Amino acid sequence: MGKETGQLLATWAALMALLAITVVAALAPIGPVKGLVNIAAAVVKAALIYWVFMHLKQVGGFLRIAAVGAAVWLLILGAMLYADISTRV
Amino acid sequence: MTDAVAHTPEEAHKGKDTAEERVSYLRAGHSLASWLTTTDHKRIAILYLIAITGFFFIGGSAAALMRFELISPHGMLLSNEGYSRAFTMHGVIMVWFFLIPSIPNTFGNFLIPLMIGAKDLAFPRLNLLSWYIYIIGGCFTLYALVGGGVDTGWTFYTPLSSLFANGHVVALVTAVFVAGFSSILTGLNFIVTIHTLRAPGMKWSRLPIFVWSHYATSLILVLATPVLAITLVLLAAERLFGIGIFNPALGGDPILFQHLFWFYSHPAVYIMVLPAMGVVSELVCAAARKRIFGYAFVAGASMAIAGVGFLVWGHHMFVAGESALAATIFSFLSLVVAVPSAVKVYNWTATLYKGDILLDPPFLFAMGFIGLFTVGGLTGLMLAMLAIDVHVHDTYFVVAHFHYIMVGGTVSAFFGALHYWWPKITGRMYSLTWGRIDAALIFFGFNLTFFPQFILGYLGMPRRYHVYDPSLQVWHVMSSAGASILAVGYILPFIYLYAALRSAKPAGPNPWGATGLEWTTASPPPKHNFDHPVQVTHEAYDYENAPQPGEHR
Amino acid sequence: MNGLPPDMPANPLPFWPPAASAYAHALDRLVVSFSALIIALALPVFVLIFVFAIRYRRGRKVNRTAKERGDLWIEIGWSVIPFVLTLYFFVQASVLYAQQTRPPANALRIDVVGKQWMWKFQHPEGQGEIDDLHVPAGEPVMLNMASQDVIHSFYVPALRLKRDVVPGRYTRMWFIADQPGVYPIECSQFCGMNHPRMRGSLHVMSAADYGRWLQVSQVEQTLADQGAATYRKAGCSGCHDHGAVMRAPSLAGLAGQTVPLEGGQTVVADAQYLRDSILQPGREVVAGYPALMPSYQGSLDEGQVQTLVAYLQSLATKTPEVPR
Amino acid sequence: MSGRASQETSQGVTLKEPYARPGQQREADFLGMYLFLASEIMLFGVIVALLFADRFRHPGAAEQAAQRLKIWIGTANTAVLLTSSLFVALAVVAARAGKAKAVTGWLAAAVLLGLTFLGLKGFEYAEDFAEGVWPVLGRATPGNLFINLYFVATVLHAVHLTVGVGLLSWAGVRVKMQRTRLPGQAIVIEMTGLYWHFVDVVWVFLFPLLYLPRP
Ligand code: HEA
Ligand code: HEA
Ligand code: CUA
Ligand SMILES: [Cu+2]
């Protein structure tokens, strides 16, 4: 088993662990924080997949921006939508 | 197939082909199939040119119909529904099937590889695919048109479009959805090309502004278009299955549709104007025979417009029921986005200072662009002012605003580009006199058509009305008269440009004495763009060392 | 027809609309002064392009030396100065707009329903009108607007005001018209086939004329009374009144109160909430009650719901201190 | 067809028309794919934004409605997809090393998992329908809105996944038939893999947002 394969397996294990955490958090009676835990776990999972499986670890700076920059635009959409919906009368 | 074969008898008879023409991309294969399966960016550009011209005339015919109808205050020709269908088809076709692909997919496609010294776009087959996707979208549009049309307006507001409108809403929405993928693929192709295929020495700081503005445009194409795509999917699902996301009766929110629509469509207006700004930057420099004033600022302004342009969409919804806080934020940001536009306009003007100005047709179109864009943009600022918009929203004031930018601006730039690069694309020079007459005709006809609409709008004439108060008729008659002049102005080039194809005057590689790699290769360019390896040693617009314009141009 | 006020001479070449309120005049002033600014910003561009094109045209012998390539301070100057100038107008326009969102408490409330393709108005005294709206001059009037179907937009050019009328929610608009006369009302949001014919007239009347109009068009029941009738007819009383079999919250004094909801949130019982409670009862369920109330979507139209809302709100004013 | 010239370089990489260097071509391929996926981020991002908007507008409704979904199928499917991503990643490693046999093996395994996902999803839909969790006949309750969004999101995801299964199979067959030669054309596997991982990422977000809201 090469070093690279080992890394992939470790990543997979981490992903599965995060999945377990999410499901447990969702079912446990821990109140509204569970929403945050779930989102956070999803973000970490996505980051792992992008970083390792999708080679962001290996590619250059601009490619990294190109790959995940769209998230910033989504945040714009979300923020402005929120600005409207939350303050409507 | 390459050189000197298979001429039509007519051409052989005239025997006027130049040596460049015989080895040009135009002659690399003559069969229809060689065009329809080409992966040469220059040929695909011409495929686009033909297709968008067709759609421009369909959309223009709808405009002609509307302007004819509006001569009388009582509606003399069309039913209410007929008129609604006319402006819906006009808007949809003009926006998605003409203006958005107009400059990028024709001139961008043709010129970006030439300008950066590449053999082709990064993904030539993808480029062809995106033309086919565009054509499929176009077929859906034609189907919706022939099948009786749609009466929702180009904005497809719910719940009218989802629950009430009859007509081929789903077909038309599909058309726009499909065409969107063509946009995405083209944008992606441009970005990758500009990143990876610049010739040795073509640093970012040496890129022509045309390339910069297409780069900015492409970012919007890639990031905004998918939002429209999914929104239209939801709209279709709403209409077909009643999923209720935009339906207030099921707890949905119709305003949400507007948010998503404008999240795309406001950036999309910059898709329509940024390439035109790129064209005008080239034209102004070539006209003044000077380096552009403030290169870094003009290039940066394109990027700034693309970025900030994503933050202002809510200015279309000031009276639609968005919150006052959101409206104020959007209003403010709309003023911010005017700043990079101001930078462009003032830098173009400064570029002309102490220039050596050629008054040839392309440059007249460019100056027309600057003036009309300024009027359109500054009235856009009026619209961005909250209280003013409350009065003029959804009136002819808005109609006038966007035609000033889109028709007076972008279409003028499109014609400017056509006149500027026509000799490069075809190798032949047209009649400059006719070109000048045409530029003047379009400028005059345009103002006569659309200036009265500002007044109509302030008087309170709502848009999408075909019956109106008789006291307003004078302005409408003026507008319709202007539109007929405009129509002549748009048809005329077809005559003299076509005549140029047949004329004996080869243009030579660089008729305007312009800088830019595209002028260093033959006209029309050979199949692989450059006969020699390209090496860039100078910054853009190095007019000090440029050749002089051709004598008879 | 629905054109300019009949008592005004028809202007053969109108280029400024009549103004019927102080607000309209204020807006006109803003527009004129802002137009002056944008002309000032645009004129240099127009003039210079023209002058340069002539002065520096090719073949003319002029001094072309010292070709500048750009200058940071020039760039900053012509971006920042115009921007700052527009900010002044931004503030003014935003202030005017903000005023629009806050109707005065004493405003005369008129309920408006937009439906394909007509405007329905209901006065508090119970008068109903279609496409014609009579209002007193010099008094604040607040329109509480609902749509029966698609989005419409209530537009009175003479007031320089418009507001979309959105299905599923109430939107509001208010004004003080001070110029008696008849002014066109338009629907400015495309709403289907007869959108260009969805027009009406705003009759602004002096206080005396308005009083007379109220007399002449008097109806038996006020809006709240009509609501009370609907309340009984639709069977609301069967659940909500004392002694009903079903356990449902009492509605007396509800309007304006803060209601605790199932799930912990609270909400103020404004017109929008009352409307939603009737048409989408499942959306916000009162804490401690079963979600058993049926939806009246489809059986009551927006106009009837407005009468109900008026009725429920009248209960609040009659008995303000009912403990919940 | 005015076919595109292509040539083999010394490293065995197939160099296509506009490119002069293998590194340049590789960068272009990666950039192109990342940008395409960026556009997909926006596409699915809208659905996510709508889910948030829905939860904001109807507090509590999502928490109620989500309990009607089959959380265990969702969880199992997440595990299935994450594992399939591992297999695809291993296929890429093998492809870069030129081990064609291993590549087809990993790809076949990933395809199988993809099909498992689709099978489970189909079963879940059938159960949903049987229990009346059904989008079309929506009554006027906010919970239905959530369910409808659930259907839009998962169907859209399933369509992407189906395309992914197709791509993986196509790549596997090409490797098997030696139409795609490794390691010279490993880029084919890498690009297909990027797409597959992306579909996985989408699910990683959809899963908690759809299945896990709980009061
Ligand atoms: C190419 C298309 C295009 C472009 C570039 C623009 C550019 C702008 N638009 Fe326009 N717009 C449309 C196309 C376009 N628009 C369309 C199609 C609609 C209607 C859609 C529909 O409802 O059907 C619309 C509608 C529209 C509205 C909504 C109106 C309404 O429905 O009520 C608003 C409101 O803010 C607006 C604002 C602006 C602004 C601030 C800009 C700015 O970007 C303009 C910036 C330019 C300048 C300002 C001029 C140059 C600057 C100077 C000369 C220097 C001085 C400047 C300063 C003060 C800094 N536009
Ligand atoms: C994007 C580009 C674009 C372009 C290029 C144009 C070009 C023109 N437009 Fe259009 N327009 C829009 C985009 C565009 N428009 C949009 C988005 C809307 C909003 C739609 C909506 O509300 O949903 C709109 C709406 C719109 C209206 C408002 C309709 C209404 O609200 O009631 C009007 C009215 O005058 C109008 C006029 C014109 C005219 C006269 C031209 C002219 O410039 C056109 C000139 C071209 C020609 C005239 C073609 C020449 C060919 C012929 C003349 C052949 C004639 C043949 C026969 C008649 C058989 N347009
Ligand atoms: Cu109602 Cu337009
Ligand atoms: Cu806009």
Side-chain angles (χ1 to χ4, degrees):
Chain A
M1 192 171 86
K3 179 166 165 263
E4 216 177 346
T5 315
Q7 264 180 10
L8 294 179
L9 281 177
T11 309
W12 174 78
L15 290 170
M16 295 308 250
L18 281 164
L19 172 62
I21 292 176
T22 320
V23 176
V24 170
L27 297 181
I30 53 172
V33 279
K34 65 177 53 169
L36 277 179
V37 174
N38 284 339
I39 300 293
V43 171
V44 176
K45 271 193 271 183
L48 277 176
I49 296 177
Y50 258 95
W51 189 250
V52 183
F53 288 173
M54 295 174 77
H55 315 303
L56 283 198
K57 199 172 63 156
Q58 301 154 18
V59 299
F62 178 75
L63 283 178
R64 288 182 188 164
I65 297 175
V68 294
V72 177
W73 268 261
L74 269 186
L75 287 182
I76 294 175
L77 174 65
M80 298 296 241
L81 270 186
Y82 183 76
D84 175 20
I85 303 181
S86 65
T87 57
R88 270 189 214 161
V89 277
Chain B
M1 282 197 282
T2 43
D3 36 347
V5 272
H7 293 188
T8 64
E10 200 183 9
E11 281 168 334
H13 168 73
K14 286 195 177 168
K16 287 170 187 159
D17 293 11
T18 60
E20 287 86 10
E21 278 172 343
R22 280 193 293 272
V23 296
S24 79
Y25 75 102
L26 289 169
R27 301 296 169 81
H30 287 262
S31 63
L32 188 62
S34 78
W35 280 88
L36 292 180
T37 60
T38 182
T39 53
D40 182 345
H41 65 105
K42 300 183 287 305
R43 286 191 159 208
I44 296 173
I46 289 189
L47 292 178
Y48 270 116
L49 186 60
I50 294 167
I52 63 163
T53 306
F55 278 111
F56 177 65
F57 276 91
I58 299 175
S61 304
L65 201 63
M66 291 186 317
R67 279 320 325 168
F68 187 68
E69 169 78 1
L70 287 167
I71 292 173
S72 150
H74 307 297
M76 51 185 176
L77 180 68
L78 296 171
S79 65
N80 292 347
E81 220 165 351
Y83 185 78
S84 314
R85 293 178 176 199
F87 68 68
T88 305
M89 290 322 282
H90 170 70
V92 167
I93 290 180
M94 284 301 201
V95 168
W96 283 296
F97 293 92
F98 170 63
L99 208 56
I100 286 184
S102 63
I103 294 177
N105 291 26
T106 55
F107 297 105
N109 227 329
F110 195 95
L111 293 166
I112 288 175
L114 283 167
M115 285 181 165
I116 65 174
K119 280 191 202 157
D120 205 324
L121 288 178
F123 306 114
R125 277 185 295 169
L126 201 64
N127 196 18
L128 182 64
L129 177 68
S130 79
W131 183 76
Y132 276 102
I133 294 177
Y134 168 81
I135 292 296
I136 294 171
C139 290
F140 274 105
T141 310
L142 295 180
Y143 167 77
L145 177 69
V146 174
V150 172
D151 56 343
T152 59
W154 80 285
T155 45
F156 297 117
Y157 274 14
T158 54
L160 178 66
S161 61
S162 54
L163 302 176
F164 290 85
N166 40 42
H168 296 69
V169 180
V170 173
L172 196 57
V173 161
T174 311
V176 176
F177 174 82
V178 171
F181 284 94
S182 163
S183 290
I184 296 176
L185 296 182
T186 302
L188 185 160
N189 220 336
F190 285 175
I191 297 180
V192 178
T193 305
I194 297 170
H195 264 280
T196 58
L197 291 178
R198 278 168 291 126
M202 180 53 93
K203 301 187 215 152
W204 285 92
S205 58
R206 288 177 178 170
L207 286 177
I209 299 291
F210 181 89
V211 177
W212 271 109
S213 45
H214 275 76
Y215 186 80
T217 308
S218 304
L219 286 177
I220 307 177
L221 284 170
V222 171
L223 291 170
T225 317
V227 175
L228 177 71
I230 184 69
T231 308
L232 295 179
V233 168
L234 290 168
L235 170 57
E238 178 101 38
R239 193 175 166 84
L240 296 173
F241 308 117
I243 59 167
I245 291 164
F246 305 128
N247 180 0
L250 296 184
D253 182 6
I255 309 291
L256 223 43
F257 174 85
Q258 300 179 20
H259 272 297
L260 296 177
F261 181 84
W262 292 115
F263 181 84
Y264 162 80
S265 286
H266 184 83
V269 309
Y270 297 121
I271 298 174
M272 301 182 232
V273 84
L274 279 170
M277 291 171 155
V279 166
V280 168
S281 304
E282 299 299 312
L283 300 194
V284 165
C285 293
R289 308 190 52 70
K290 264 181 69 187
R291 182 179 157 88
I292 194 156
F293 193 84
Y295 171 91
F297 288 91
V298 179
S302 298
M303 304 301 285
I305 291 176
V308 185
F310 272 96
L311 299 170
V312 307
W313 78 84
H315 66 207
H316 296 270
M317 301 161 57
F318 288 157
V319 303
E322 80 180 339
S323 80
L325 173 72
T328 312
I329 298 174
F330 280 124
S331 168
F332 176 77
L333 290 169
S334 303
L335 301 184
V336 174
V337 84
V339 172
S341 303
V343 167
K344 296 222 168 206
V345 168
Y346 291 136
N347 276 303
W348 291 323
T349 312
T351 304
L352 292 176
Y353 177 60
K354 293 196 174 175
D356 190 3
I357 299 173
L358 290 169
L359 293 174
D360 288 337
F363 313 125
L364 296 181
F365 279 111
M367 290 173 199
F369 171 96
I370 300 176
L372 300 177
F373 169 74
T374 302
V375 175
L378 289 169
T379 51
L381 284 187
M382 293 184 88
L383 292 171
M385 300 284 171
L386 287 171
I388 302 180
D389 185 63
V390 170
H391 176 42
V392 291
H393 170 73
D394 269 346
T395 65
Y396 264 74
F397 196 92
V398 177
V399 175
H401 153 68
F402 65 74
H403 283 91
Y404 258 83
I405 296 190
M406 303 206 291
V407 183
T410 305
V411 178
S412 292
F414 179 81
F415 275 86
L418 195 62
H419 285 76
Y420 184 60
W421 282 293
W422 183 261
K424 177 55 61 184
I425 294 173
T426 65
R428 299 299 173 122
M429 188 47 105
Y430 51 87
S431 152
L432 293 185
T433 312
W434 277 110
R436 291 194 185 101
I437 292 175
D438 192 52
L441 208 58
I442 289 181
F443 185 81
F444 176 71
F446 176 83
N447 280 302
L448 186 57
T449 312
F450 292 105
F451 197 82
Q453 297 189 358
F454 282 124
I455 297 165
L456 278 172
Y458 203 79
L459 282 167
M461 161 97 197
R463 57 195 282 206
R464 298 164 173 177
Y465 268 35
H466 72 126
V467 289
Y468 56 88
D469 194 273
S471 65
L472 303 175
Q473 189 174 8
V474 198
W475 302 113
H476 273 299
V477 170
M478 272 163 81
S479 181
S480 296
S484 14
I485 298 176
L486 204 50
V488 176
Y490 286 145
I491 291 172
L492 206 55
F494 286 85
I495 300 169
Y496 62 75
L497 290 181
Y498 181 75
L501 284 185
R502 312 247 126 210
S503 88
K505 214 164 24 163
N510 192 355
W512 316 110
T515 65
L517 287 177
E518 80 268 30
W519 300 110
T520 62
T521 188
S523 302
K527 181 157 181 279
H528 289 288
N529 291 352
F530 299 96
D531 290 330
H532 314 287
V534 182
Q535 172 77 41
V536 183
T537 50
H538 285 85
E539 55 191 6
Y541 314 115
D542 182 25
Y543 275 95
E544 250 103 281
N545 302 312
Q548 287 303 308
E551 265 318 307
H552 53 254
R553 291 201 279 283
Chain C
M1 235 184 56
N2 290 329
L4 286 172
D7 44 348
M8 285 196 185
N11 185 342
L13 192 65
F15 71 98
W16 206 260
S21 66
Y23 174 87
H25 286 292
L27 185 82
D28 283 354
R29 276 194 301 277
L30 179 67
V31 167
V32 169
S33 51
F34 189 59
S35 303
L37 173 70
I38 64 174
I39 289 172
L41 291 174
L43 217 54
V45 176
F46 299 160
V47 171
L48 288 178
I49 288 184
F50 203 73
V51 169
F52 291 164
I54 296 194
R55 188 173 154 78
Y56 296 113
R57 71 178 184 279
R58 191 172 173 79
R60 204 155 171 275
K61 290 204 171 34
V62 281
N63 174 14
R64 291 194 174 86
T65 51
K67 293 182 175 176
E68 292 83 3
R69 308 163 43 103
D71 180 281
L72 180 63
W73 289 106
I74 293 183
E75 301 285 348
I76 292 178
W78 63 36
S79 34
V80 171
I81 294 172
F83 178 68
V84 172
L85 291 175
T86 53
L87 278 188
Y88 170 74
F89 293 91
F90 163 73
V91 173
Q92 289 209 331
S94 302
V95 168
L96 275 181
Y97 180 84
Q99 281 172 10
Q100 263 313 299
T101 61
R102 274 182 243 107
N106 63 343
L108 171 71
R109 167 167 143 185
I110 297 175
D111 288 312
V112 181
V113 177
K115 61 190 274 192
Q116 287 180 328
W117 288 274
M118 58 163 96
W119 295 107
K120 276 177 60 180
F121 304 101
Q122 302 189 88
H123 294 259
E125 304 298 319
Q127 294 88 345
E129 299 187 81
I130 287 185
D131 286 349
D132 285 288
L133 173 59
H134 292 80
V135 297
E139 243 184 80
V141 176
M142 196 267 277
L143 305 181
N144 178 47
M145 307 189 288
S147 164
Q148 190 62 46
D149 34 52
V150 300
I151 303 177
H152 304 273
S153 192
F154 189 86
Y155 178 31
V156 184
L159 298 174
R160 311 285 188 271
L161 286 179
K162 73 163 67 69
R163 189 84 188 161
D164 279 11
V165 181
V166 184
R169 59 190 280 205
Y170 289 148
T171 53
R172 290 180 307 184
M173 171 172 147
W174 75 275
F175 54 87
I176 306 175
D178 46 24
Q179 235 8 276
V182 186
Y183 306 96
I185 296 172
E186 324 261 4
C187 172
S188 64
Q189 178 63 265
F190 183 64
C191 54
M193 192 168 71
N194 283 338
H195 157 71
R197 302 197 188 267
M198 187 165 162
R199 310 167 72 187
S201 307
L202 176 72
H203 303 256
V204 179
M205 312 174 99
S206 65
D209 285 347
Y210 183 68
R212 223 167 298 132
W213 179 82
L214 280 181
Q215 292 270 300
V216 174
S217 53
Q218 196 167 27
V219 288
E220 273 170 23
Q221 291 179 311
T222 66
L223 199 61
D225 292 343
Q226 295 172 17
T230 318
Y231 186 79
R232 283 185 299 276
K233 250 197 342 253
C236 319
S237 45
C239 294
H240 283 285
D241 281 10
H242 271 303
V245 200
M246 176 69 79
R247 205 173 69 85
S250 158
L251 301 180
L254 165 64
Q257 302 285 333
T258 305
V259 182
L261 295 180
E262 199 69 55
Q265 283 95 348
T266 58
V267 60
V268 176
D270 55 5
Q272 178 76 46
Y273 169 79
L274 296 174
R275 174 200 174 278
D276 290 348
S277 294
I278 300 167
L279 294 180
Q280 297 177 2
R283 185 164 163 183
E284 284 154 327
V285 177
V286 186
Y289 288 90
L292 284 179
M293 169 154 169
S295 163
Y296 283 85
Q297 189 110 45
S299 51
L300 294 178
D301 67 24
E302 292 284 352
Q304 290 171 305
V305 173
Q306 280 173 341
T307 66
L308 279 174
V309 170
Y311 168 63
L312 294 179
Q313 290 181 328
S314 76
L315 292 182
T317 42
K318 275 175 206 151
T319 46
E321 292 305 327
V322 176
R324 285 178 54 81
Chain D
M1 165 131 187
S2 46
R4 292 205 291 144
S6 59
Q7 70 195 72
E8 298 254 321
T9 63
S10 51
Q11 298 102 312
V13 176
T14 315
L15 203 58
K16 294 219 184 104
E17 171 63 307
Y19 301 102
R21 291 169 286 113
Q24 186 189 33
Q25 170 168 306
R26 189 174 163 78
E27 191 188 351
D29 285 341
F30 267 88
L31 183 53
M33 196 62 183
Y34 282 141
L35 285 173
F36 174 70
L37 297 181
S39 80
E40 294 271 41
I41 291 181
M42 297 308 286
L43 192 90
F44 281 101
V46 168
I47 304 240
V48 171
L50 284 175
L51 278 166
F52 276 112
D54 179 53
R55 285 179 74 166
F56 184 86
R57 283 168 34 84
H58 305 290
E63 286 84 345
Q64 292 286 321
Q67 299 191 13
R68 302 175 68 195
L69 301 179
K70 316 248 156 344
I71 183 168
W72 294 116
I73 297 187
T75 311
N77 260 343
T78 314
V80 165
L81 273 196
L82 292 176
T83 312
S84 75
S85 257
L86 172 70
F87 291 171
V88 170
L90 290 170
V92 170
V93 174
R96 285 176 180 169
K99 299 182 190 145
K101 258 260 183 61
V103 172
T104 40
W106 289 126
L107 288 183
V111 165
L112 224 61
L113 286 182
L115 292 175
T116 311
F117 179 97
L118 290 175
L120 277 172
K121 192 81 212 132
F123 171 73
E124 187 185 359
Y125 280 150
E127 290 283 290
D128 286 343
F129 291 167
E131 290 169 23
V133 181
W134 171 253
V136 183
L137 310 171
R139 264 194 348 116
T141 70
N144 267 83
L145 220 53
F146 178 82
I147 297 291
N148 292 349
L149 273 171
Y150 156 79
F151 271 94
V152 173
T154 51
V155 166
L156 202 65
H157 176 263
V159 168
H160 277 78
L161 198 85
T162 312
V163 171
V165 168
L167 288 176
L168 288 183
S169 320
W170 169 81
V173 169
R174 274 183 69 102
V175 172
K176 179 117 199 152
M177 293 169 56
Q178 301 205 327
R179 298 274 307 281
T180 296
R181 255 163 308 189
L182 301 174
Q185 295 176 331
I187 191 77
V188 175
I189 313 293
E190 293 179 300
M191 291 299 114
T192 320
L194 280 184
Y195 178 82
W196 185 265
H197 296 310
F198 176 78
V199 177
D200 193 6
V201 168
V202 170
W203 184 260
V204 158
F205 282 101
L206 290 185
F207 170 64
L209 289 173
L210 294 174
Y211 289 84
L212 298 185
R214 287 289 182 286

